[in-house]
Amino acid sequence: MLRMISLAAVMAAPLLAGPLNEGLPVWITPLSLLLVAAALALHRSRPSAAALGLLAASAVDWRLLPAAAILSYQAGRREPPATSVLAGLTGVLAFGTAVPLLRGPNLYGWLVWITGVIVLGLLPALIGSFRRLQAELVQAGWDRAAQLEREQRIVADQARLQERARIAQDMHDSLGHELSLVALRAGALELDGTLTAEQRAAASEVRAGVTTAADRLGEIIGLLRDDDTPPRPAGDHIGALVDRAAASGVPVVLTATGDHGDVAPMQYRAAQRVVQEALTNATKHAPAAPVRVLVDRTGDEMTVTVHNGPPPCPPAERVPHGGRGLTGLGERVGLAGGVLRAGPLPDGGFQVVARLPTRPGPVLEAGPDPLPPVGPETARRRARRGLVLAVALPTLLTAGLAGTLMAVYAHDSRTSHLPPERFRELVVGAGRDEVAGRLPERQAPEHRDENGPPPPSGSACEYYRSTAGFLPTPFDVYRLCFRDGRLVAKDVLPPSR
């Protein structure tokens, strides 16, 4: 309710301003106030009709243009433009053209009104339409983002299960090897002739138990393993992995600091997976870009950083981003007690950073994210910049159009301006040559013969303005009528009432 009252006050303010009422009939103001009230009552259900109605009425009372601008903006915000709206605008322009013809020729008044309709009617509607489309686009973007987030959660769950299958395979390889060695030693004891029968029987039971455990481990791992799960990377060291990538043509450089020999197997294999996945992504999305691998050991923590520069040229074909690799890496690093950060860099490259403990223990704290944040706030900043551009461009165009119109009006009014004191000095009966030097170089297009006495019969009349300036204001028209080279009549034609 308060918003409606405030809106009504803003729209009615130009109608109640005293100086703006000059030159208008007394009954115009109450009628215009009624029109504003009717448009406000209609603007929620028929916003375009309310705006077009005020634009048409502004041809009679130009003070309605600010109110029409407000309703035009709201019409653009609430409904898309339709054929009926364009037809209504055409009707408004036709009505606004007919009104000056009924009052009498007034080229400048018609041009000013047309400019007002464009500036205060069409442009606000376009800005409102832009804001409506922007809001719809943003909402569609958030809906799409929510859908992608749901899909990403499904993909992440699949990636985590896949990575756990890899971990299970690693466990099978490691434990299976150790169990095989235990079974082998137990078999050797079973065949040792220096042992008693009881000892050989115990060794046989140990061998059988270990063999059964290895078989059951294999069965369990077989259930967990996904057929699409790629095998564990060959090689036991990160250096061997980087060497194979370099031998394949990848411009990669490894820098290792500290001692990595005593890092626990699970943590070291997580570091190895980080390097493997990062190199795979670099060759896939940034072929021929230089890659730096840094493995740093500091105390009980190991940091693995893989950074690739921007691609020298974009790939010939767009490579799909599945998103599973980094999600799986996060799962592997998290299960090893570490934290992973990955994302694009301002220079167009990409960086993966993993912090891992050297021994199983408490999970590391995430710490500050070294990569630039990308999220909704960035989208909001871009939307604000787009809005500023959408508002600034029409504003500059409007200011340029208004300035040009004011300059043209000022030139025309100055060149057809006859000062009142000079008009009073002109004497009826003076020759045309005598008064020629006191008259302006051009005549005013407004004649207003209907506002004064009829011109003398057989005379030729000239018309001049009583004022000059940048803005249209009420003015008198001076009529000078000549017959047979002499001034036979001088009349003052006031503005139409």
Side-chain angles (χ1 to χ4, degrees), residues 230-248:
R232 178 175 59 87
D236 294 330
H237 298 286
I238 294 176
L241 186 63
V242 173
D243 290 342
R244 284 194 299 276
S248 301

Side-chain angles (χ1 to χ4, degrees), residues 478-495:
Y478 296 148
R479 184 177 66 187
L480 304 178
C481 296
F482 297 89
R483 185 173 55 201
D484 298 330
R486 292 196 172 274
L487 180 63
V488 295
K490 50 181 288 190
D491 301 296
V492 178
L493 308 179

Side-chain angles (χ1 to χ4, degrees), residues 235-240 260-261 263-274 295 302 332 336 356-358:
D236 294 330
H237 298 286
I238 294 176
H260 308 120
V263 177
M266 185 173 183
Q267 280 67 30
Y268 191 83
R269 289 190 181 182
Q272 189 182 31
R273 280 281 297 125
V274 169
V295 182
M302 179 171 61
R332 170 70 74 116
L356 292 158
T358 58

Side-chain angles (χ1 to χ4, degrees), residues 52-53 67 79 117 127 150 165 208 214 217 252 255 260 352 356 372 384 387 409 415 432 447 466 478 484 493:
L52 290 173
E79 61 182 12
V117 170
I127 295 174
R150 290 191 295 269
L217 177 63
V252 57
T255 302
H260 308 120
V352 179
L356 292 158
R384 285 195 292 267
L387 177 60
Y409 182 83
T415 55
R432 180 69 177 78
H447 290 179
S466 62
Y478 296 148
D484 298 330
L493 308 179

